[in-house]
Amino acid sequence: MKNGLKNVLLGSYLILSGVMPAPVNAQKLHRLKPRPEVQAIVSESLQASVRQYNYLKQQLKPDQWPRTFEKGMLQTVTPAAWTSGFYPGGLLYLYEFSQDQGLLNEAKAKLEKMEPLKTMTAHHDLGFMMYCSYGNAYRLFGAPEDKAVLVRSAQSLARRFDPRVGCIQSWDQVKSLDGKRILKFPVIIDNMMNLELLFFASKATGEPLYKDIAIKHAEMTMKNQVRPDFSCYHVVDYDVETGAVKSRETQQGFSDNSAWSRGQAWGIYGFTMVYRETKDLRFLQTATGMADFFLNHPNLPKDKVPYWDFNVGQAGFDPPWNFDPLKYQPVPRDASAAAITASALLELAGYVDRKTGERYQHAAEIMLQSLSSPAYRAATGENGGFILKHASGGVPGNIEVDVPLIYADYYYLEALMRYRALKK
Ligand code: GLY
């Protein structure tokens, strides 16, 4: 079938099903071309990041994975934490850039200790943990043993899929923020990121089951978690017997109906990746809708690094727990949400028409320029060895507010490397 006709038919299907397709026309897709002034910033930032991670690795013991730096103290975690893959993954991006053998050795030492995680089924974060670490190692070196670890990890993650609901269960259970209810089948928007491991496993093994699970999960998330204005709920709790939605709420955002910035970023990145893997226009439409919500939001600051939630303290947005919106002033930013979004936009920009693509590329460039400025990027030897400042983890729980976070660094490095890979 000619591409034009195929697009028309797909378009009709999507319109009938209530979803408007984003413009897709292979002839007019945006081809990203780097701007020299941004290239210079990217190159300098990668060099500075190599110096910074050489400092960071000296602060760590072999059984410590860096998470944040708070009150003058480096905070570390064990490999079982959801963030463990980001440090070795970031080291691998920096090795790819610099060929610095010391950084590669540090990455390999951490990977070796993470291998037993491949059988972990305690939560959904195995995708983050293994695909950002082992996935990058396999991309760079192609070792069959790394592929085997990834496939085994995908098997573990797939065990959390429940066909009655059509989703991977994110956490076993959690108390609602008001403390009154137990959510028994919570699915969080972050889960979109874990699907990349499943797509990989299907390609690596030829077994479609992993990808089928990923697609079903993405469809359910699109239906139940993304709002009509393309913002999203952080958490959807399902009835495991009937598959019905029991509640839509937040754990890390300002209110149940607000737009938690990092959740929005996970959605933009996740749906872009699912479109890459499926070429299904519904996912592209969701990715562009979520990106446009983020970029067009009147509360997005000029430097395009969002507040931790787009709706802090606004009328109509009430925290489900006892939280004073004025507690943190000025309202903390979340550099991680900007880094994740910048990386996603550099991919998404290549899947849309020229005008939209230019807009996405330009927004990503502003984010990278902001994050690379002294306002966000720390000087060598400062910030506990982390690259970026001003990220926010779990503000409602008073956890990691306005601090460096290892995943902000990881997606910043990924975005820098994606920009560096653009051809003139
Ligand atoms: N995935 C957990 C978070 O974004 O904080």
Side-chain angles (χ1 to χ4, degrees):
M1 194 188 298
K2 286 216 170 83
N3 263 350
L5 179 58
K6 197 164 148 194
N7 282 342
V8 169
L9 291 178
L10 258 173
S12 317
Y13 161 74
L14 290 165
I15 290 163
L16 287 173
S17 62
V19 182
M20 284 295 292
V24 173
N25 178 338
Q27 309 309 314
K28 290 196 184 135
L29 288 187
H30 174 55
R31 285 191 50 219
L32 289 84
K33 284 187 227 95
R35 288 189 173 77
E37 66 276 21
V38 183
Q39 273 179 316
I41 291 169
V42 162
S43 182
E44 192 273 322
S45 297
L46 284 165
Q47 285 163 25
S49 299
V50 170
R51 290 194 295 275
Q52 187 72 325
Y53 269 29
N54 266 298
Y55 171 80
L56 177 60
K57 86 178 159 69
Q58 284 162 16
Q59 315 307 308
L60 296 163
K61 298 199 176 82
D63 58 349
Q64 292 180 324
W65 273 246
R67 166 77 165 243
T68 183
F69 182 71
E70 278 189 294
K71 302 188 181 83
M73 296 273 292
L74 182 64
Q75 307 292 334
T76 62
V77 290
T78 67
W82 80 272
T83 51
S84 61
F86 298 121
Y87 177 53
L91 288 165
L92 287 167
Y93 278 132
L94 288 175
Y95 165 74
E96 188 181 1
F97 168 70
S98 65
Q99 305 296 299
D100 182 320
Q101 202 60 38
L103 294 182
L104 177 61
N105 292 343
E106 172 78 345
K108 283 187 171 167
K110 294 298 184 208
L111 285 182
E112 207 175 300
K113 291 201 159 77
M114 290 176 66
E115 195 257 1
L117 292 169
K118 65 188 180 191
T119 57
M120 197 204 71
T121 56
H123 55 66
H124 71 143
D125 286 317
L126 211 55
F128 278 118
M129 294 155 80
M130 303 311 261
Y131 200 71
C132 297
S133 56
Y134 274 90
N136 265 316
Y138 184 67
R139 182 179 62 79
L140 289 178
F141 306 114
E145 54 274 23
D146 289 347
K147 176 161 125 178
V149 170
L150 287 162
V151 171
R152 183 66 189 84
S153 304
Q155 281 168 8
S156 303
L157 178 59
R159 286 186 57 187
R160 295 189 67 84
F161 180 77
D162 192 319
R164 292 170 297 180
V165 174
C167 284
I168 294 164
Q169 184 172 0
S170 295
W171 304 317
D172 283 353
Q173 59 175 41
V174 67
K175 241 188 205 171
S176 61
L177 270 188
D178 62 10
K180 292 184 185 151
R181 288 165 296 112
I182 301 285
L183 281 55
K184 294 209 178 116
F185 196 105
V187 176
I188 63 174
I189 187 70
D190 323 28
N191 209 332
M192 288 298 300
M193 302 296 284
N194 292 311
L195 306 182
E196 196 164 6
L197 175 67
L198 299 178
F199 284 112
F200 171 85
S202 273
K203 287 183 283 190
T205 61
E207 166 58 69
L209 180 71
Y210 305 106
K211 139 168 106 55
D212 292 346
I213 288 174
I215 292 170
K216 186 70 192 163
H217 183 99
E219 284 173 346
M220 295 306 283
T221 304
M222 194 163 62
K223 180 170 161 219
N224 293 326
Q225 209 134 357
V226 179
R227 304 181 182 120
D229 67 358
F230 289 102
S231 64
C232 63
Y233 292 97
H234 179 204
V235 189
V236 174
D237 186 33
Y238 289 91
D239 183 318
V240 76
E241 303 299 333
T242 64
V245 171
K246 286 178 76 179
S247 67
R248 294 179 168 93
E249 49 197 271
T250 197
Q251 287 281 319
Q252 283 168 266
F254 180 70
S255 69
D256 292 341
N257 60 340
S258 72
W260 173 49
S261 315
R262 192 163 58 259
Q264 195 69 20
W266 292 142
I268 298 166
Y269 192 117
F271 282 106
T272 300
M273 176 273 295
V274 175
Y275 173 69
R276 177 217 306 150
E277 298 296 338
T278 60
K279 294 290 172 273
D280 182 330
L281 288 176
R282 295 172 306 160
F283 298 127
L284 179 62
Q285 172 66 21
T286 306
T288 56
M290 293 191 83
D292 290 343
F293 178 92
F294 191 111
L295 298 177
N296 297 336
H297 201 286
N299 274 356
L300 182 66
K302 271 209 166 58
D303 66 6
K304 299 204 190 294
V305 178
Y307 301 111
W308 67 277
D309 189 296
F310 282 98
N311 304 110
V312 179
Q314 288 177 354
F317 297 91
D318 300 315
W321 82 112
N322 192 10
F323 179 79
D324 175 6
L326 301 178
K327 180 169 172 178
Y328 302 105
Q329 286 294 332
V331 176
R333 304 290 188 94
D334 183 11
S336 78
I340 297 158
T341 303
S343 185
L345 289 175
L346 289 175
E347 178 171 8
L348 185 59
Y351 300 149
V352 291
D353 66 276
R354 206 172 291 152
K355 204 163 146 232
T356 312
E358 266 166 21
R359 187 160 59 79
Y360 291 164
Q361 181 182 336
H362 186 55
E365 286 169 344
I366 293 176
M367 288 173 187
L368 285 184
Q369 283 170 304
S370 302
L371 295 176
S372 302
S373 75
Y376 293 95
R377 207 188 75 204
T380 308
E382 292 181 4
N383 205 33
F386 291 86
I387 302 165
L388 294 181
K389 306 180 272 187
H390 304 308
S392 293
V395 182
N398 194 23
I399 297 163
E400 298 168 342
V401 182
D402 194 13
V403 292
L405 285 169
I406 192 66
Y407 42 97
D409 281 10
Y410 175 85
Y411 288 100
Y412 173 64
L413 292 174
E414 183 180 88
L416 293 175
M417 290 299 282
R418 283 183 172 186
Y419 201 87
R420 183 171 177 265
L422 299 182
K423 301 269 182 308
K424 282 210 182 80

